[in-house]
Amino acid sequence: MNSPAKAKQHTSLCALPKAEVHVHLEGTFEPSILEKWAVEAGVAMPRPRERLLEFGGLADFLHFLDWACGLANTADRLSELAYAFCQRLAADGTGYADVIINPTHWSAWHGRTRAMIEALDAGFTAAEQDGLPTARLCISLLRTQTADEAAEMVDQLVEWCHPRVAALSIDGNEAAAGRTGPRFADAFRRAGAAGLRRTVHAGESSGPEGVRDAIELLGADRIDHGVRAIEDERVVALLAERGIPLGICPTSNLTLNVYPSMDAHPIERLRKAGVRVSVNTDDPSLLATNLPSEYELARSTFGWTDAIVREVARTSIDASFADADTKALLKSQLSLWPSD
Ligand code: ADE
Ligand code: ZN
């Protein structure tokens, strides 16, 4: 922040009532904590500290997540991460979040997903009791998993019916996995039938065909990224017609080489084409960003007025899996923004 005008803009965007619908718990580790845990465990850092957060694209980034999450090997560490996540929401002025967690990254918890959910739930509940914003979980499959693994995950989620869990999700690298919509269609259909919401990473490491599969084969209520839909006007039209919201993460798309610059980023073209867009962080600590900064990036690049910022924030709330009371409260607060 290098000028009073910028500082004022940041404060105003912090005060903007909003939800976050595309953020991974895996992306919220502070590098200093990772270093501390690695030293304690006698585990080597993947690269020197000053280059720890330099990623060579999505595949490299996902490998890093395996390393980082492998260090979170106690229930206390998970509860602390969940609590710290809610503190981050409060600092960003975010009233609610759907947070993605992908059990495949957390090696210490393999085969113990339920215990993992319980430990996270303890942290979120403690945060709620301390008056911090709340979050619900989107439990994620990895694109490279098998249909059987997906079926088992869905069976478990349906059996546990845990109130902290809002949705089934899928993330990971579609470029490495190929076209996998058909492989996961049955799992997503059963999850939807059992009352779970569905959110799908597509149109980041896949093109518009991945977005179409997310809609037509996986029944996505929401699409994470989805930006490469812009490469096919028929897919853009489908998103607009069906009102399927995109959880867009500008800095992530720049850092992980989806677009070379913000000028080339399609968020504004999608919005103008009638697609419901929201702004999100994806992996805030690891990408060194926060939600007000993401709004500021889009606002300053595309000259968004307050009315457009409000519309995008409203989409974030409507697109979230928060309960009706939380949504109504956030939207009534939003109608009063900006306050000066
Ligand atoms: N997991 C964490 N961040 C991700 C991203 N940007 N794409 C796919 N999977 C992810
Ligand atoms: Zn993501």
Side-chain angles (χ1 to χ4, degrees):
M1 206 54 49
N2 47 18
S3 77
K6 272 196 172 175
K8 187 163 177 246
Q9 219 12 274
H10 190 85
T11 307
S12 165
L13 292 170
C14 268
L16 176 74
K18 55 196 170 299
E20 180 153 35
V21 300
H22 181 176
V23 54
H24 302 254
L25 198 72
E26 290 90 7
T28 65
F29 289 106
E30 289 305 328
S32 56
I33 290 283
L34 290 177
E35 195 177 7
K36 177 170 170 282
W37 288 351
V39 170
E40 278 170 21
V43 169
M45 303 267 280
R47 46 189 167 254
R49 167 182 206 176
E50 55 291 358
R51 293 199 291 108
L52 191 62
L53 302 186
E54 283 176 18
F55 304 110
L58 181 60
D60 178 42
F61 182 75
L62 294 173
H63 267 118
F64 184 88
L65 296 188
D66 289 335
W67 174 80
C69 297
L71 297 168
N73 54 8
T74 67
D76 282 350
R77 283 185 178 174
L78 290 187
S79 301
E80 280 163 26
L81 271 175
Y83 191 96
F85 180 83
C86 297
Q87 288 177 308
R88 171 186 291 273
L89 295 181
D92 287 354
T94 306
Y96 170 85
D98 289 322
V99 57
I100 299 165
I101 182 156
N102 183 324
T104 66
H105 291 304
W106 306 75
S107 52
W109 298 89
H110 287 172
R112 296 194 297 145
T113 305
R114 187 173 190 167
M116 188 175 186
I117 293 171
E118 294 294 350
L120 294 169
D121 183 45
F124 291 129
T125 302
E128 280 161 15
Q129 285 164 355
D130 289 347
L132 291 168
T134 196
R136 296 185 74 199
L137 292 169
C138 304
I139 306 291
S140 206
L141 301 164
L142 197 68
R143 277 283 174 186
T144 40
Q145 284 186 280
T146 65
D148 284 349
E149 287 168 324
E152 188 186 339
M153 185 80 263
V154 171
D155 285 345
Q156 290 175 334
L157 293 179
V158 172
E159 184 196 326
W160 301 335
C161 196
H162 198 290
R164 185 63 65 184
V165 176
L168 179 68
S169 155
I170 185 159
D171 61 15
N173 191 349
E174 285 179 276
R179 182 179 179 222
T180 56
R183 188 195 300 167
F184 295 109
D186 190 54
F188 272 76
R189 186 190 52 72
R190 288 198 302 112
L196 285 162
R197 310 303 301 275
R198 291 168 285 191
T199 185
V200 176
H201 272 63
E204 177 202 34
S205 52
S206 63
E209 70 291 346
V211 178
R212 185 181 283 282
D213 279 358
I215 299 168
E216 294 181 344
L217 298 179
L218 303 183
D221 295 300
R222 199 169 65 209
I223 295 179
D224 300 312
H225 298 295
V227 281
R228 290 188 55 202
I230 201 72
E231 295 166 29
D232 184 339
E233 64 189 20
R234 291 162 305 177
V235 178
V236 174
L238 188 64
L239 286 167
E241 266 162 41
R242 303 235 182 140
I244 298 171
L246 304 185
I248 295 182
C249 307
T251 293
S252 167
N253 293 157
L254 300 183
T255 306
L256 300 179
N257 306 325
V258 183
Y259 296 104
S261 69
M262 202 49 196
D263 287 332
H265 196 284
I267 185 169
E268 183 65 349
R269 281 174 284 149
L270 289 162
R271 191 188 70 79
K272 284 190 166 153
V275 178
R276 300 171 68 207
V277 301
S278 68
V279 169
N280 305 270
T281 61
D282 211 10
D283 297 284
S285 306
L286 301 184
L287 300 172
T289 190
N290 58 52
L291 196 50
S293 300
E294 294 299 304
Y295 273 86
E296 173 54 19
L297 186 57
R299 195 201 62 79
S300 60
T301 308
F302 300 113
W304 281 1
T305 60
D306 284 349
I308 295 174
V309 170
R310 226 180 4 251
E311 167 202 310
V312 172
R314 175 177 296 270
T315 298
S316 75
I317 298 165
D318 283 332
S320 78
F321 303 145
D323 62 37
D325 287 351
T326 304
K327 287 188 181 190
L329 177 66
L330 284 172
K331 284 199 278 186
S332 75
Q333 292 168 343
L334 181 61
S335 65
L336 305 176
W337 184 91
S339 58
D340 55 304

